[in-house]
Amino acid sequence: MTSSSTPSRKALSKIACNRLQKELAEWQVGPPAGFKYKVSDNLQRWVIEVGGAEGTLYAGETYQLQVDFPEHYPMEAPQVIFLNPAPMHPHIYSNGHICLDILYDSWSPAMTVSSVCISILSMLSSSPAKQRPADNDRYVRNCRNGRSPKETRWWFHDDKV
Amino acid sequence: MAAEAEAEEEVRLEVEAVVAVYGEDCRVYCDFPPHLVVHVRPNTADDSSQQFVELFLGIKASSQYPKEPPHVYAVESKGLDENRQAYLISSIQDKAKELSYYPMLVTLCEEAGEILSNMNHPAGDCPLCLYPLVSENNHDSALPFMKLMSCYHCFHSDCIMRWWGWLQHDDANSKKIDTTISTGEELRLSNSDKLYNANHHKGFCPVCRKVFDEKDIEHVRDLLDANTSQLMACLTVDLGEDDKELLHSEAEKKRREKIGSLFNLQQERNGLIEPKKDLAIQPGMYVSLPAIEPTTSAGDSTNSWEATASSTSVTDPPVTANISGGGKKQNNSGPPRRNRAYAPRKQPHGQRAGKQWQRSQPARQQWQKKDAET
Ligand SMILES: [Zn+2]
Ligand SMILES: [Zn+2]
């Protein structure tokens, strides 16, 4: 599983390329509301701007998601993290790692960048308080060697938030 | 007062009629005012491999029925996206308004069946590669696809096989991860992990996560790998005793003759309509084989994806009961039709697919021909 820890090292497979080109084309026709793809020529790493939804704790704020695609995307989940500064959220660690099941165990190849974005925004929007996860410091310390969130055995917090 | 009782009695008889026609596919919640849910399928001659959509149609009438048209709604559907389902329901609703003052329960169900028949093809893109499942105008790009029988979600055969292969590979790797990450602090398994382990030798639908069995998908792999003759052999091996008998039976011989004459008829008319070579694997999968350029229509580009049919499937008639010559995904309204008399419907559940041969409608043939000429 070394490929997942260094997702950008191995080039995309032909199938992954085709699929991503299709996703990008569809994104350009109709991006998910609140998201903006930052144009780059690197198909394997997308940087996406997300605006906090109106009427939520994050209204008026803008964050950046970095999506790295593994060689065998979409069989394998993309690595999705928030770039610094990550939003204060009970499921988002200060290093940008996101505790969201669909990014790990519950990933399915029928999901898309677009559907992942929508899930993340809905997670943000339903936040009851701007705070870090209880185990933030310990977790972030453990990740100092540059560990990918995909290597973490996540224990998912309750699904409500 | 007497007139009222008479009207009510009439409505009750109408409900009875629906039950008579739809049998177990009809659930009556209330006789009067009528409230029922009917399981409506497209007219595919009860060939479940040819069925890509279905609807549980709810009909709820007031005591003013039939003066006041009933409320119709979708309880559940398979294979229909939002748009198609909305279209279906509003069409039935329109029909109900049109028929106000007349008994209409059976007619509404039949209307639903008609519309479903016209919609009986997978819609949209393959959820895995995001390219269309069924190419409308370029038959070179039509790839074989399959349907999961449990949920009617469709995928390109190659795409689902790739994913299945990945699951196997992932499974082998996950043991390694368990040991390498045991130093981490978050070792508690998530629920989905447990679920995954429980489904060790099963796959699940990437769209809805309904579990399917390993055997099913291995079977698909065998079919895709094998060439045609091996494929026949493979299917023959899988046939039960009943089916072997069927193969040699008089009825089967007649069926083949019928297919032969049907083919001749079709050829006389336009020489173009050829059955798509379909394979149905019960109970799990549906596979359509890679398209082989039909020799008779080489160079023709029709707008029908059915034109990707292989000519070989006709020139050498199916030798196993499991190989269907059907391919009438979109127009299933031709004969043999379900009997419109109030007779209980045959239950297609669990029936082996591919035994039925359906003629395509003349109108359809003309349409295709016209298409081919342009
Ligand atoms: Zn596909
Ligand atoms: Zn499904």
Side-chain angles (χ1 to χ4, degrees):
Chain A
M1 208 69 177
T2 46
S3 59
S4 64
S5 57
T6 52
S8 50
R9 196 170 294 163
K10 271 202 168 170
L12 293 172
S13 69
K14 183 87 181 72
I15 286 154
C17 252
N18 285 343
R19 156 95 184 220
L20 276 174
Q21 271 156 359
K22 193 86 182 15
E23 279 198 53
L24 191 53
E26 276 171 23
W27 178 293
Q28 275 153 353
V29 176
F35 293 88
K36 213 176 116 198
Y37 167 81
K38 292 183 81 174
V39 180
S40 102
D41 52 7
N42 185 359
L43 192 61
Q44 198 164 5
R45 170 171 287 180
W46 293 20
V47 175
I48 296 165
E49 233 172 58
V50 48
E54 286 307 316
T56 70
L57 293 176
Y58 308 89
E61 296 171 17
T62 304
Y63 298 95
Q64 292 194 321
L65 285 166
Q66 177 179 288
V67 187
D68 284 296
F69 298 96
E71 179 188 7
H72 294 294
Y73 179 79
M75 299 300 130
E76 209 184 332
Q79 177 195 288
V80 185
I81 58 169
F82 274 104
L83 292 177
N84 198 32
M88 292 282 277
H89 185 282
H91 298 175
I92 300 169
Y93 292 87
S94 54
N95 62 358
H97 291 194
I98 307 165
C99 181
L100 181 63
D101 59 352
I102 58 156
L103 297 177
Y104 314 104
D105 303 24
S106 301
W107 169 256
S108 143
M111 290 172 189
T112 62
V113 181
S114 202
S115 69
V116 164
C117 282
I118 291 166
S119 295
I120 290 174
L121 187 58
S122 119
M123 182 183 103
L124 268 185
S125 299
S126 57
S127 172
K130 278 189 164 182
Q131 62 186 42
R132 290 286 174 220
D135 57 348
N136 184 69
D137 293 351
R138 197 160 48 105
Y139 177 76
V140 172
R141 213 180 313 123
N142 265 313
C143 290
R144 264 186 314 205
N145 55 3
R147 189 167 87 172
S148 158
K150 291 178 71 186
E151 277 180 81
T152 302
R153 272 250 170 233
W154 291 98
W155 173 67
F156 299 103
H157 308 93
D158 73 87
D159 295 333
K160 281 184 228 95
V161 178
Chain B
M1 197 60 201
E4 232 170 70
E6 206 175 292
E8 183 179 328
E9 187 52 29
E10 235 167 70
V11 172
R12 284 182 194 278
L13 283 174
E14 224 197 309
V15 172
E16 258 172 50
V18 179
V19 174
V21 176
Y22 286 89
E24 283 172 38
D25 283 346
C26 174
R27 180 169 295 173
V28 179
Y29 291 99
C30 185
D31 282 327
F32 189 87
H35 182 200
L36 34 110
V37 171
V38 181
H39 184 179
V40 188
R41 301 181 177 88
N43 305 317
T44 56
D46 290 345
D47 178 348
S48 60
S49 75
Q50 303 298 307
Q51 189 188 322
F52 293 93
V53 290
E54 68 176 23
L55 171 74
F56 285 84
L57 174 68
I59 303 178
K60 193 169 198 255
S62 72
S63 56
Q64 297 305 301
Y65 173 84
K67 199 166 70 189
E68 205 174 80
H71 170 59
V72 297
Y73 59 100
V75 178
E76 199 190 316
S77 71
K78 280 183 185 172
L80 296 173
D81 59 18
E82 238 171 75
N83 288 339
R84 295 208 297 176
Q85 184 172 307
Y87 170 78
L88 178 57
I89 292 299
S90 75
S91 302
I92 302 167
Q93 195 82 69
D94 289 348
K95 190 80 183 176
K97 278 184 207 139
E98 195 186 301
L99 293 174
S100 296
Y101 293 98
Y102 298 98
M104 65 174 93
L105 298 181
V106 173
T107 314
L108 292 184
C109 297
E110 289 187 343
E111 177 76 4
E114 290 293 325
I115 302 169
L116 273 181
S117 298
N118 291 328
M119 288 179 170
N120 191 29
H121 54 88
D125 300 332
C126 167
L128 298 179
C129 68
L130 309 180
Y131 284 84
L133 277 169
V134 173
S135 176
E136 293 291 333
N137 43 27
N138 177 4
H139 76 233
D140 290 334
S141 63
L143 294 167
F145 61 90
M146 52 163 285
K147 172 183 76 173
L148 293 176
M149 296 301 274
S150 54
C151 57
Y152 286 28
H153 285 128
C154 295
F155 310 88
H156 292 125
S157 305
D158 283 348
C159 291
I160 195 92
M161 287 314 295
R162 201 177 300 122
W163 181 61
W164 175 248
W166 174 262
L167 276 187
Q168 307 302 92
H169 149 100
D170 207 36
D171 215 33
N173 273 359
S174 64
K175 289 185 187 73
K176 269 188 268 163
I177 301 172
D178 280 343
T179 53
T180 52
I181 307 190
S182 57
T183 49
E185 74 273 40
E186 307 207 7
L187 280 169
R188 282 165 292 185
L189 287 179
S190 69
N191 282 335
S192 54
D193 244 346
K194 286 176 203 146
L195 195 74
Y196 180 74
N197 290 336
N199 295 335
H200 200 69
H201 286 296
K202 286 177 173 170
F204 50 88
C205 171
V207 178
C208 68
R209 295 183 195 273
K210 250 191 193 150
V211 172
F212 59 80
D213 205 77
E214 177 180 28
K215 275 184 296 182
D216 294 327
I217 204 141
E218 292 298 344
H219 203 152
V220 176
R221 171 146 61 205
D222 290 347
L223 289 168
L224 289 174
D225 288 350
N227 67 29
T228 312
S229 61
Q230 282 167 330
L231 195 129
M232 302 282 187
C234 154
L235 280 179
T236 310
V237 168
D238 275 358
L239 291 174
E241 283 307 311
D242 291 353
D243 298 291
K244 278 181 204 149
E245 269 175 44
L246 177 82
L247 283 183
H248 304 291
S249 71
E250 204 52 38
E252 173 67 2
K253 220 173 99 191
K254 284 215 182 86
R255 193 180 72 92
R256 285 187 213 168
E257 281 165 12
K258 202 173 141 211
I259 289 170
S261 62
L262 180 62
F263 172 59
N264 289 337
L265 180 73
Q266 284 179 335
Q267 221 174 17
E268 276 166 31
R269 292 205 180 161
N270 53 37
L272 177 68
I273 302 305
E274 285 161 351
K276 194 178 174 69
K277 192 167 176 180
D278 288 330
L279 285 169
I281 305 141
Q282 297 290 334
M285 302 288 168
Y286 166 81
V287 178
S288 63
L289 282 189
I292 302 164
E293 192 73 26
T295 46
T296 48
S297 63
D300 282 343
S301 159
T302 79
N303 278 337
S304 166
W305 64 283
E306 287 172 35
T308 59
S310 144
S311 55
T312 58
S313 62
V314 196
T315 48
D316 68 305
V319 294
T320 79
N322 251 14
I323 295 183
S324 142
K328 305 298 177 289
K329 308 283 189 308
Q330 287 164 323
N331 65 320
N332 295 288
S333 40
R337 280 298 287 270
R338 195 168 284 136
N339 196 346
R340 284 307 163 97
Y342 288 167
R345 296 193 336 155
K346 200 162 166 230
Q347 294 299 304
H349 303 296
Q351 182 179 334
R352 269 195 181 270
K355 288 182 193 163
Q356 297 284 345
W357 179 271
Q358 253 193 314
R359 276 180 60 175
S360 70
Q361 271 181 315
R364 172 71 173 180
Q365 293 178 351
Q366 277 154 20
W367 177 76
Q368 280 193 320
K369 177 149 194 240
K370 209 170 124 210
D371 238 27
E373 281 162 357
T374 53

